[in-house]
Amino acid sequence: VQLQASGGGLVQVGGSLRLSCTRSGSTDTIGAINWYRQAPGKQRELVAAIGTGGSNTYSESVKGRFTVSRDNAKNTVYLQMNNVKPEDTAVYYCNKKMTTRSGERNEYWGQGTLVTVSS
């Protein structure tokens, strides 16, 4: 499983940005994806997730501002970031957790994309 995150960049406070996470290296659909972020000097935190059935969850810090969606035809999950704040500055990673039929748990990460919010 290979995940490619993209779409980061410099955005002003109050602006918008859309991140993408595309799965490659498999004929399977992208499925459930988690979005994490890691700000300088801080631990990586989960900010949003989309389940296989389309259910979404968000951290309190981004709820109402970020939206996660999926395009199965493009095998891509998006993180739409609106009304961004300086504290949204971080490297954003997409993540996928999978369990094999034998019960082995695997975890895959995209390479990260940097979002910088300027005031």
Side-chain angles (χ1 to χ4, degrees):
V1 175
Q2 296 177 3
L3 300 176
Q4 179 77 27
S6 61
L10 180 64
V11 59
Q12 291 187 334
V13 170
S16 297
L17 205 61
R18 190 178 75 164
L19 307 184
S20 300
C21 176
T22 301
R23 178 177 180 174
S24 61
S26 172
T27 56
D28 295 334
T29 58
I30 190 168
I33 290 290
N34 307 299
W35 282 100
Y36 286 80
R37 70 183 180 188
Q38 186 166 20
K42 295 187 177 181
Q43 290 187 337
R44 194 171 295 189
E45 63 169 339
L46 177 66
V47 295
I50 184 167
T52 53
S55 60
N56 302 340
T57 58
Y58 302 95
S59 68
E60 286 300 318
S61 61
V62 307
K63 192 174 293 183
R65 301 187 297 119
F66 290 10
T67 303
V68 59
S69 62
R70 180 170 53 227
D71 185 335
N72 288 325
K74 296 182 178 180
N75 228 14
T76 298
V77 167
Y78 302 99
L79 182 67
Q80 178 67 44
M81 307 168 59
N82 296 330
N83 190 24
V84 296
K85 303 176 180 180
E87 52 264 39
D88 294 324
T89 294
V91 178
Y92 286 72
Y93 301 88
C94 55
N95 162 274
K96 185 171 184 63
K97 297 178 174 60
M98 299 178 69
T99 301
T100 67
R101 293 180 181 177
S102 62
E104 178 183 356
R105 296 183 179 181
N106 296 312
E107 196 166 11
Y108 304 92
W109 293 90
Q111 83 284 9
T113 184
L114 175 63
V115 173
T116 303
V117 180
S118 64
S119 57

